[in-house]
Amino acid sequence: MIRAYINERLEFTGLEVFIANHLDDQPALILQIEHTDGVSTHRWVPYDQGITPAPTLVLPADSGRALLDALTRHYNGAEDTRALRRDYDAERKRVDEQAKVIADIARSLAAKPSTH
């Protein structure tokens, strides 16, 4: 399963991004990106999980937020965001129904003649 990890590098206020592939029956792999003569290539390199490998990507901290925003737009929102929206919509519907029931009860009680 491919996962991404972030490590803050406080000494230069940046982010190290590690993209790793954890395989069940094989050594874990880290994605390495190389740039040569304007051409980018990538390869998956095995790494010892006891030793921190070189990061896949290093970014200034403010660039990390811009990357997150762009990826979120590209993928039409994160799955967690969509799930949160579905939960919110379901809760809103439940509250609306509850408000209708309470309003009906209030109208019913208001319509009854007072016994005092």
Side-chain angles (χ1 to χ4, degrees):
M1 170 180 283
I2 296 176
R3 295 183 186 248
Y5 303 92
I6 303 294
N7 182 36
E8 288 187 71
R9 290 182 57 185
L10 299 176
E11 66 271 10
F12 86 104
T13 63
L15 304 172
E16 293 178 323
V17 180
F18 300 85
I19 300 175
N21 193 354
H22 300 278
L23 305 169
D24 291 334
D25 57 346
Q26 298 175 14
L29 304 172
I30 187 85
L31 179 64
Q32 295 294 307
I33 301 171
E34 297 173 0
H35 305 281
T36 306
D37 298 327
V39 177
S40 295
T41 58
H42 71 275
R43 61 191 173 107
W44 292 98
V45 179
Y47 72 95
D48 178 354
Q49 292 187 15
I51 300 171
T52 303
T56 302
L57 181 64
V58 179
L59 297 170
D62 56 349
S63 298
R65 174 58 66 178
L67 178 59
L68 171 65
D69 293 343
L71 287 170
T72 300
R73 280 191 306 277
H74 177 77
Y75 288 109
N76 299 316
E79 181 57 36
D80 289 346
T81 304
R82 289 191 295 263
L84 225 89
R85 183 66 198 190
R86 283 191 302 269
D87 292 347
Y88 172 80
D89 290 342
E91 181 63 12
R92 182 75 242 167
K93 183 177 179 181
R94 188 191 71 75
V95 169
D96 289 346
E97 290 297 319
Q98 185 180 34
K100 287 178 191 175
V101 169
I102 291 170
D104 288 344
I105 292 169
R107 277 191 291 277
S108 173
L109 291 173
K112 288 187 177 182
S114 177
T115 57
H116 292 104

